[in-house]
Amino acid sequence: MTDAAEREPISIPTVQALFEAEDIGDDEVRASNRWFREFVFANQGITEGERKTTEEKGDIHAWMISRGKCSARITEIKERLGLCAHLRLEMMLARGMSFSQMARMLYPDISEGRARMKVSAQCALVLEQLTHVYTSMRLNRSPR
């Protein structure tokens, strides 16, 4: 675990809750932040700190290639984790849904407390798996 000065900021409340409960660690936080940035860039073409003028953006072709690569990574992650895990990532990270909101949607026929616990555990597991997918993707693409 890294010290607080080196820790990546957590902007998604559900990820913050999982981290504070010690259900996930720094690696999962980094993976969730990366997935969120890539998902938004792939789907909306928006990056953090996006420049305001077209002249500052640089080569449009390089920008489109980068966006395509992000989209390909999101698709590969979806294929590796499966649709159910991908939907949980979207609900938790892209839509910013709370555990209670996800619980009502995923488990409408059981008590909210029990459904919330199930969703929370599933989200922690998915973030752990996401960390391993990113590691695997990096190792498979690195030159040997």
Side-chain angles (χ1 to χ4, degrees):
M1 179 146 331
T2 60
D3 65 15
E6 297 175 16
R7 187 166 291 132
E8 190 163 336
I10 305 171
S11 59
I12 300 164
T14 49
V15 175
Q16 181 71 41
L18 291 170
F19 183 79
E20 288 174 358
E22 298 182 357
D23 289 337
I24 62 170
D26 292 326
D27 291 341
E28 289 79 13
V29 170
R30 278 190 293 280
S32 70
N33 287 340
R34 178 179 176 184
W35 186 92
F36 176 74
R37 285 189 306 270
E38 290 187 329
F39 183 85
V40 169
F41 185 49
N43 288 285
Q44 299 173 7
I46 300 170
T47 61
E48 280 184 316
E50 187 168 286
R51 298 179 186 140
K52 302 293 180 210
T53 65
T54 351
E55 298 85 43
E56 292 175 330
K57 283 192 179 185
D59 183 8
I60 188 69
H61 301 291
W63 181 83
M64 289 301 292
I65 289 169
S66 294
R67 188 172 177 194
K69 286 181 179 180
C70 279
S71 182
R73 274 192 299 277
I74 294 296
T75 299
E76 184 176 348
I77 289 167
K78 181 179 178 181
E79 289 170 359
R80 287 186 183 203
L81 293 180
L83 181 60
C84 290
H86 179 79
L87 289 175
R88 278 152 182 78
L89 284 173
E90 276 194 21
M91 293 168 81
M92 174 178 43
L93 304 177
R95 296 184 202 167
M97 293 174 72
S98 69
F99 295 130
S100 295
Q101 290 170 321
M102 288 186 274
R104 283 190 296 275
M105 185 176 281
L106 296 170
Y107 301 105
D109 297 331
I110 63 175
S111 72
E112 185 173 337
R114 186 163 179 241
R116 188 183 181 288
M117 282 186 3
K118 289 175 84 159
V119 168
S120 174
Q122 290 170 358
C123 288
L125 178 62
V126 167
L127 290 177
E128 186 177 328
Q129 291 172 327
L130 179 64
T131 300
H132 290 286
V133 168
Y134 272 128
T135 300
S136 173
M137 290 168 75
R138 181 179 45 82
L139 292 175
N140 289 336
R141 290 196 173 103
S142 64
R144 298 185 204 260

